[in-house]
């Protein structure tokens, strides 16, 4: 399973940038004593580790199939994406919440506040540039005319939308931290710095929950998009000699690694050789139309012999039952 160069570019850019930004934020947090700045530093450090885990997932996913894993290791990418979501929630949101509560109970005035302002503004500029890079890659990878939420739900490549959502959360957190520092200074209310840290924790928790939901869905076996499934059904129904399409199922083992299984009832007057020719032609047609389909299994089966309990209604995949 190959990964697009845009995915790797986005991840490497985010990794390098977050590492540099994290070091700067930790220095500023140590100098100023700001809770929200410390939360942001931890956030950037976790994001750096997350990008590393995504690269690990991409590398492990391209390993060739083996006897123990005959369909390859593509699902590892989805597993590591799920781990990333757990880290964002457990470490990012958890530590930010803890720091916020501590600084609300024991508020401390922020010293050298101008240092915080400079670091936060610089971080916003950099994170914004990485966010734009991730946004362009996400659009290129197939957002099309879909809405944002629908595009993420239909996307089978978690690397790009994970970085996009991480950077969106990072920009939101930076804005909250900057506002918290300004209000804490202007109103002389150090407690607001702790409140900002708790708001950052909430942003990270929401981001983590959304990413976990999407990666969990991919990890447990998503099929192709409804419009692709409908096209596959039309191809199968148009196959010469076919009388009835019993069922069609699909599963993503990776962004560009799809398994398609088709059960067809052929005319009884066809010879075994003729069925083989039809099956080979249908397989070539499917792979030419959808290169991400790497495996096609077509079964010749009498529709009356097919157990109804094994059939998934086509309506559940977005198309009407034939």
């Amino acid at each position: 399973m190959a990964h697009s160069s845009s995915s790797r570019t986005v991840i490497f850019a985010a990794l390098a940038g977050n590492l540099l930004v994290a070091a700067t934020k930790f220095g500023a947090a140590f100098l100023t004593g700001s809770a929200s700045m410390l939360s942001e530093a931890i956030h950037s450090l976790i994001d750096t580790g997350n990008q590393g885990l995504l690269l690990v997932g991409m590398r492990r996913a391209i390993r060739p199939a083996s006897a123990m894993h005959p369909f390859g290791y593509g699902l590892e990418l989805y597993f590591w994406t799920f781990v990333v979501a757990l880290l964002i929630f457990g470490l990012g949101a958890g530590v930010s919440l803890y720091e916020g509560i501590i600084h609300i109970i024991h508020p401390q005035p922020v010293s050298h506040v101008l240092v915080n302002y400079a670091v936060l503004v610089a971080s916003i500029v950099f994170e914004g540039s990485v966010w734009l890079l991730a946004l362009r890659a996400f659009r290129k990878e197939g957002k099309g005319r879909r809405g944002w939420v629908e595009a993420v739900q239909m996307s089978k490549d978690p690397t790009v939308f994970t970085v996009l959502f991480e950077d969106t959360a990072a920009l939101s957190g930076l804005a909250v931290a900057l506002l918290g520092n300004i209000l804490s200074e202007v109103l002389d209310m150090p407690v607001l710095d702790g409140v900002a840290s708790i708001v950052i924790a909430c942003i990270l928790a929401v981001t983590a929950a959304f990413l976990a939901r999407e990666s969990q869905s991919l990890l447990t076996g998503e099929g192709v998009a409804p419009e692709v499934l409908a096209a596959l059904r039309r191809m199968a129904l148009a196959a010469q000699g076919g009388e009835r399409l019993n069922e069609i199922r699909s599963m993503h083992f990776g962004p560009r690694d799809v398994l398609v299984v088709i059960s067809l009832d052929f005319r009884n007057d066809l010879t075994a050789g003729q069925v083989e020719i039809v099956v080979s032609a249908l397989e070539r047609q499917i792979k030419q139309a959808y290169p991400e389909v790497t495996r096609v299994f077509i079964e010749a089966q009498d529709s009356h012999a097919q157990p109804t309990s094994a059939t998934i209604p086509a309506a559940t995949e977005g198309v009407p039952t034939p």
Side-chain angles (χ1 to χ4, degrees):
M1 180 188 66
H3 294 282
S4 65
S5 59
S6 60
S7 298
R8 291 186 180 275
T9 300
V10 168
I11 293 175
F12 277 116
L15 187 150
N18 280 320
L19 186 60
L20 180 61
V21 170
T24 306
K25 288 178 180 177
F26 272 115
F30 177 78
L31 181 63
T32 64
S34 169
S36 58
M37 179 61 76
L38 181 59
S39 296
E40 276 300 309
I42 294 169
H43 180 187
S44 294
L45 184 62
I46 292 171
D47 281 351
T48 303
N50 289 343
Q51 268 88 63
L53 290 177
L54 289 177
L55 289 172
V56 169
M58 292 173 72
R59 184 176 181 83
R60 292 179 64 86
I62 61 175
R63 289 180 295 168
S66 64
M68 290 294 293
H69 293 83
F71 290 103
Y73 293 83
L75 291 175
E76 284 228 26
L77 178 63
Y78 300 150
F79 167 76
W80 288 106
T81 305
F82 188 72
V83 171
V84 165
L86 295 181
L87 286 176
I88 294 174
F89 182 81
L91 292 180
V95 174
S96 296
L97 180 63
Y98 172 80
E99 286 295 326
I101 292 174
I102 291 298
H103 280 74
I104 287 177
I105 297 174
H106 305 289
Q108 296 288 335
V110 176
S111 59
H112 305 288
V113 69
L114 292 179
V115 174
N116 271 0
Y117 294 161
V119 171
L120 289 171
V121 170
S123 298
I124 288 173
V125 172
F126 180 80
E127 292 284 2
S129 63
V130 177
W131 182 84
L132 288 174
L133 183 64
L135 178 62
R136 284 196 294 267
F138 182 60
R139 286 175 171 171
K140 181 181 177 181
E141 290 297 318
K143 178 186 180 296
R145 297 182 178 179
R146 295 187 177 101
W148 290 104
V149 175
E150 181 188 4
V152 172
Q153 291 174 337
M154 298 305 297
S155 174
K156 311 303 178 184
D157 188 351
T159 56
V160 174
F161 72 69
T162 297
V163 175
L164 179 63
F165 272 72
E166 279 186 348
D167 286 337
T168 301
L171 283 172
S172 302
L174 287 167
V176 170
L178 182 59
L179 181 62
N181 274 261
I182 293 174
L183 292 178
S184 177
E185 176 72 14
V186 172
L187 301 178
D188 193 22
M189 295 177 62
V191 70
L192 294 179
D193 186 47
V195 172
S197 185
I198 292 178
V199 173
I200 293 171
C202 293
I203 292 172
L204 293 177
V206 171
T207 302
F210 188 80
L211 288 176
R213 180 179 180 275
E214 292 307 313
S215 55
Q216 179 270 339
S217 180
L218 290 167
L219 187 60
T220 52
E222 280 192 8
V224 295
E227 60 269 22
V228 176
L229 181 64
L232 294 175
R233 290 176 62 82
R234 287 193 296 269
M235 293 179 191
L237 289 169
Q240 293 184 357
E243 283 194 332
R244 176 182 172 82
L245 172 61
N246 296 321
E247 66 175 338
I248 179 170
R249 299 190 186 186
S250 63
M251 179 177 171
H252 270 269
F253 285 88
R256 296 166 188 82
D257 185 7
V258 180
L259 166 70
V260 173
V261 180
I262 299 173
S263 173
L264 273 173
D265 185 3
F266 290 92
R267 292 202 319 264
N268 293 331
D269 61 336
L270 266 69
T271 65
Q274 290 173 322
V275 171
E276 287 179 358
I277 293 173
V278 174
V279 167
S280 297
L282 179 56
E283 181 179 352
R284 286 195 302 271
Q285 182 186 10
I286 290 173
K287 288 185 175 181
Q288 287 174 358
Y290 298 99
E292 66 272 20
V293 177
T294 55
R295 302 175 185 85
V296 180
F297 296 113
I298 302 174
E299 177 186 40
Q301 184 180 27
D302 186 346
S303 61
H304 299 291
Q306 184 192 31
T308 55
S309 60
T311 302
I312 297 176
T316 63
E317 298 198 54
V319 293
T321 306

